[in-house]
Amino acid sequence: MPTPTHARRHTPRLALTALALACATAVQAQAPAPQRVEVTGSSIKRIDAESALPVQVIGREEIERAGLTTAAELVARIAAASNGLTDGVSIGTGGFRDQMGMNSANLRGIGTSSTLVLLNGRRMANFASPGDDTGVDLNNIPAAAVERVEVLLDGASAIYGTDAIGGVINFITRKDWHGAELSARVAGTHEGGAGKRTASAGAGFGSLDKDGYNVFAVLDLQKTDALRTSQRAFINDLKIPERLPHLLSSAPSPGNIRLTGDQRDYLQSVGYTINGKPVANRTINLSAPNCNPPHSLYLPDGIGGDQACTYDYMRDLELYPRTEKTGLLGRGVLQLGRDHQLYAEVAYSRAKSWYAGTSNRINGELDVSMIPALAATGLGDALPDDRTITVRTRLLEAGMRTSQITSTGTRLVTGLTGTLAGWEYDLGLNHSVNTVSDRDVHGYLLYDKTMEGIASGLINPFGESSAAGRAYLDSIQVNEEVRRARGTMDSIDVKGNRPVARLDGGDLMLALGAEWRRERSRSNPSELLLSDNILGDPTPGDGVTTDGSRRVGAVFPELVAPLT
């Protein structure tokens, strides 16, 4: 009897095991084969897990969860990115104009010029303004249409060229999308400034599988408020006037007087005093120690010295500019038979940035008779050949120097993709343009007219001007485009891949491709800028006038051999 009992106890277990094996076999048989996809850094489609390249992928869900609304914000989340150009360079306004308005990517700190930025695997025109950094303006990426971002964290110069030594960032937009989407966001800060408002709308219709076509478009609108130094408590906490007074400015309001050696010696001889002490320095201020704080300060250890005033420019500055950005992407795909697709893609973007720097400064000249306190000393009669007084002053009444930078990008891509004679191919035409307009809109003055205004007494370098003086300042404001640049890129590329043999580890894959492109960049300053008559925006000379072009051609093979 024990034997039959033993047999009955194990029979159900064996049956269940056999049934489980059968179900597993059926599931495996029904599971679809892994799809091969394009991977950044290769022209051969492959299963993502097969790639040996260090590719980081940031998906749409992660982008939305993090609240990222621009391509520049997205790039800032990449651990390997550092030292890229951003909107926040307002502190450089007033002479330093190297590619303001550009947002760039810089992988591994090698440089913007060594990081290649692609949109759907193809190049875009570089930011047109000349400068040390050559690369794509991230403002030209339609962030609302991005489905995912692939970041190749290794050098890829052998595949893409020398501008990919630092790596590649490939923004990939939606491809087959139907439906409608509308979103809006409002963001603010506790201390004020840098508020942000965004809105995006998208719609698509048609299904490639069912209808044989798909068309969609996405519109993205963004506005960001300026951030001033007065809106952040940490600026006061830095205690810059106490810690670094020698790094501030010697052009305050009221203005400092810069004496000649003979003028100083004469004032010493007649016992003229500043703040109860005999004149000892060539830089003096008639108001010291009452220097019109909080921006003009009496700092004995400051750059103005102990008988003059020092200007704290950190009280009169924007940390981040006001911006308005618009992006539009449209894409259409038409199925041609079973094996071919015709596609077209159009993108438009415009980014406006208003950079506001400190108020203008000038070394004005006027006769000693225009300064009663000095005229009373008899200096003019004692030094008839040295009557001119130089005043280094800050023109607060003219307002902050403000420039409007507008970067506009357009891109048209059309092509054909599919399968032909066993080859998976992609043929594309790409026309991409970037234009940059730099406009002085406020605070920049005609230099010769400003000097005339100070010399005549219309502009008061020591305090508030009269109504006529303020009207005169308004009349000599510069409000025109002073720099304009345009860059274009036209290219045609074709590539194809197919298996050519079977190895132990899988198919031996071969890819062949070719690309030809023409790039051109042109930059022109205005006649007024070249005349060197804009106070606060000196002429860069003929070096800023550029007109260059180049042609690039390449052919390439690629082989993937999975040995095991």
Side-chain angles (χ1 to χ4, degrees):
M1 296 296 298
T3 303
T5 302
H6 180 77
R8 283 196 300 267
R9 290 179 60 189
H10 285 78
T11 300
R13 186 175 178 183
L14 292 173
L16 289 172
T17 303
L19 179 61
L21 289 173
C23 292
T25 303
V27 170
Q28 291 176 358
Q30 295 173 1
Q35 294 295 313
R36 293 184 177 271
V37 296
E38 295 182 7
V39 178
T40 299
S42 175
S43 297
I44 296 176
K45 289 186 176 181
R46 63 185 74 194
I47 300 171
D48 184 55
E50 294 177 345
S51 176
L53 299 171
V55 177
Q56 176 185 352
V57 180
I58 305 173
R60 184 72 196 173
E61 182 179 348
E62 183 178 350
I63 295 173
E64 293 180 346
R65 187 170 58 247
L68 307 177
T69 59
T70 68
E73 291 175 353
L74 203 156
V75 168
R77 302 270 297 189
I78 301 172
S82 63
N83 298 326
L85 298 178
T86 69
D87 286 328
V89 293
S90 295
I91 195 169
T93 302
F96 180 78
R97 305 296 281 269
D98 182 10
Q99 297 175 301
M100 286 197 317
M102 179 183 181
N103 282 227
S104 72
N106 181 357
L107 289 179
R108 300 192 292 163
I110 297 178
T112 293
S113 304
S114 298
T115 299
L116 180 61
V117 175
L118 305 175
L119 180 59
N120 289 330
R122 287 188 167 90
R123 292 174 177 265
M124 304 176 66
N126 288 332
F127 189 75
S129 287
D132 294 334
D133 297 292
T134 302
V136 170
D137 183 9
L138 296 178
N139 289 316
N140 295 157
I141 303 290
V146 172
E147 179 66 26
R148 70 182 188 279
V149 182
E150 294 183 354
V151 185
L152 179 58
L153 301 174
D154 199 2
S157 58
I159 301 171
Y160 295 105
T162 55
D163 50 357
I165 292 176
V168 181
I169 302 178
N170 187 11
F171 293 87
I172 301 172
T173 63
R174 306 175 185 188
K175 292 295 196 299
D176 185 7
W177 181 50
H178 47 85
E181 184 177 281
L182 180 65
S183 66
R185 297 184 183 185
V186 178
T189 60
H190 292 294
E191 295 181 79
K196 189 172 186 179
R197 298 164 300 284
T198 67
S200 64
F205 58 92
S207 170
L208 284 175
D209 294 334
K210 297 179 180 180
D211 306 315
Y213 70 91
N214 177 254
V215 178
F216 76 86
V218 178
L219 175 66
D220 186 27
L221 304 172
Q222 301 191 27
K223 287 187 176 182
T224 303
D225 299 329
L227 175 62
R228 298 180 61 87
T229 53
S230 60
Q231 295 173 305
R232 289 297 178 266
F234 76 86
I235 298 296
N236 290 330
D237 295 340
L238 293 174
K239 299 187 180 302
I240 292 175
E242 293 85 357
R243 295 173 53 246
L244 303 169
H246 59 289
L247 297 181
L248 298 177
S249 172
S250 61
S253 177
N256 285 336
I257 293 175
R258 180 67 175 167
L259 301 170
T260 65
D262 290 341
Q263 290 171 347
R264 180 197 58 191
D265 294 344
Y266 175 79
L267 292 177
Q268 286 177 340
S269 69
V270 298
Y272 192 82
T273 62
I274 295 291
N275 193 21
K277 297 179 180 179
V279 172
N281 305 326
R282 288 181 56 192
T283 300
I284 64 173
N285 195 296
L286 303 180
S287 300
N290 301 314
C291 292
N292 194 23
H295 45 72
S296 295
L297 306 172
Y298 179 65
L299 301 173
D301 294 329
I303 192 170
D306 61 355
Q307 292 189 321
C309 300
T310 295
Y311 181 73
D312 182 6
Y313 53 80
M314 290 301 290
R315 303 277 184 169
D316 185 21
L317 195 67
E318 283 188 354
L319 298 173
Y320 196 86
R322 175 169 68 96
T323 63
E324 294 181 0
K325 300 180 180 182
T326 301
L328 173 67
L329 176 78
R331 180 179 172 87
V333 183
L334 178 64
Q335 189 76 35
L336 301 177
R338 186 182 64 179
D339 297 328
H340 308 280
Q341 292 179 355
L342 178 67
Y343 61 88
E345 178 183 298
V346 60
Y348 170 82
S349 64
R350 185 185 67 185
K352 286 187 176 182
S353 306
W354 286 265
Y355 289 94
T358 57
S359 301
N360 236 318
R361 60 187 183 272
I362 190 171
N363 290 337
E365 296 180 346
L366 66 166
D367 189 81
V368 67
S369 62
M370 304 290 291
I371 309 174
L374 295 185
T377 66
L379 186 150
D381 295 331
L383 302 172
D385 296 328
D386 196 7
R387 296 175 54 92
T388 301
I389 302 296
T390 299
V391 182
R392 184 166 175 78
T393 188
R394 184 77 50 171
L395 301 172
L396 298 180
E397 293 175 323
M400 299 179 72
R401 281 173 289 178
T402 305
S403 301
Q404 176 186 295
I405 312 294
T406 304
S407 172
T408 304
T410 57
R411 184 173 186 259
L412 176 63
V413 176
T414 183
L416 192 65
T417 185
T419 304
L420 181 65
W423 288 85
E424 293 186 13
Y425 72 91
D426 189 0
L427 169 66
L429 298 173
N430 183 357
H431 175 67
S432 183
V433 180
N434 176 258
T435 60
V436 179
S437 169
D438 182 355
R439 186 181 187 93
D440 290 343
V441 296
H442 192 73
Y444 294 95
L445 307 172
L446 295 174
Y447 176 78
D448 57 350
K449 299 298 183 182
T450 306
M451 292 293 286
E452 292 174 8
I454 292 176
S456 67
L458 265 177
I459 300 175
N460 183 3
F462 302 109
E464 185 177 350
S465 300
S466 64
R470 293 192 296 273
Y472 181 80
L473 281 170
D474 290 340
S475 70
I476 62 175
Q477 292 267 359
V478 175
N479 184 7
E480 68 172 61
E481 184 181 74
V482 293
R483 298 172 181 83
R484 186 169 185 83
R486 188 175 191 269
T488 62
M489 190 210 66
D490 295 284
S491 70
I492 179 171
D493 64 88
V494 61
K495 61 184 178 182
N497 70 91
R498 65 166 299 165
V500 294
R502 183 69 182 175
L503 302 178
D504 291 342
D507 291 331
L508 175 66
M509 298 294 297
L510 172 68
L512 300 174
E515 179 188 21
W516 180 89
R517 72 178 184 271
R518 179 183 62 192
E519 299 175 357
R520 184 175 183 180
S521 180
R522 179 184 302 172
S523 174
N524 294 294
S526 69
E527 293 296 327
L528 179 58
L529 183 64
L530 288 177
S531 72
D532 202 19
N533 196 34
I534 303 178
L535 179 63
D537 196 356
T539 179
D542 294 335
V544 77
T545 303
T546 62
D547 188 358
S549 64
R550 68 175 181 174
R551 292 176 174 84
V552 180
V555 294
F556 65 88
E558 183 180 353
L559 196 67
V560 174
L563 301 179
T564 57

